[in-house]
Amino acid sequence: QVQLVESGGGLVQAGGSLRLSCAASGRIFSNYHMAWFRQAPGKEREFVSVIRWGDGSRLYADSVKGRFTISRDNAKNTVYLQMNSLKPEDTAVYYCAADPLRFGRVTYVYDYWGQGTQVTVSS
């Protein structure tokens, strides 16, 4: 079992930055693929980014590529999402997800989820 707790959300103006954190506890964090998803009101939960535990390779949604950066600190059991040049359409609840075996862009790949943190970008 892995427990995930997100933090760092808030209200920011368009063009601003936020850094989200996801602290993990439980099993060996370094052996888990870690991902970020987001869900806007009335919309499906969508993939944002993922970082693989083995080689640290990363994937990004096209909508955030070049603006968001995912990273992880295995010593701190934490994964981060640095979000720059934020846009109003980035407004959503951001969720951290983890899985020890599967790696991908869809929600059903991941067995463990945090409760989410709200990000609101004003225009």
Side-chain angles (χ1 to χ4, degrees), residues 40-71:
K43 294 189 177 181
E44 298 280 322
R45 192 169 297 189
E46 66 173 5
F47 169 77
V48 175
S49 184
V50 61
I51 184 166
R52 196 192 295 260
W53 75 261
D55 59 7
S57 57
R58 300 163 172 84
L59 295 176
Y60 294 95
D62 288 344
S63 59
V64 306
K65 201 172 295 183
R67 300 187 297 122
F68 291 11
T69 302
I70 191 171
S71 61

Side-chain angles (χ1 to χ4, degrees), residues 59-111:
L59 295 176
Y60 294 95
D62 288 344
S63 59
V64 306
K65 201 172 295 183
R67 300 187 297 122
F68 291 11
T69 302
I70 191 171
S71 61
R72 64 191 300 161
D73 185 336
N74 290 336
K76 295 183 178 180
N77 287 356
T78 301
V79 63
Y80 303 99
L81 185 68
Q82 178 66 44
M83 306 186 296
N84 298 329
S85 302
L86 282 161
K87 304 175 181 180
E89 50 264 44
D90 294 318
T91 295
V93 177
Y94 282 70
Y95 296 92
C96 178
D99 197 272
L101 297 176
R102 298 173 295 185
F103 173 85
R105 298 172 179 261
V106 292
T107 57
Y108 62 76
V109 165
Y110 300 92
D111 280 345

Side-chain angles (χ1 to χ4, degrees), residues 12-32:
V12 64
Q13 288 188 332
S17 297
L18 282 175
R19 188 176 80 157
L20 305 183
S21 300
C22 173
S25 60
R27 294 289 183 88
I28 302 172
F29 171 79
S30 59
N31 289 355
Y32 280 72

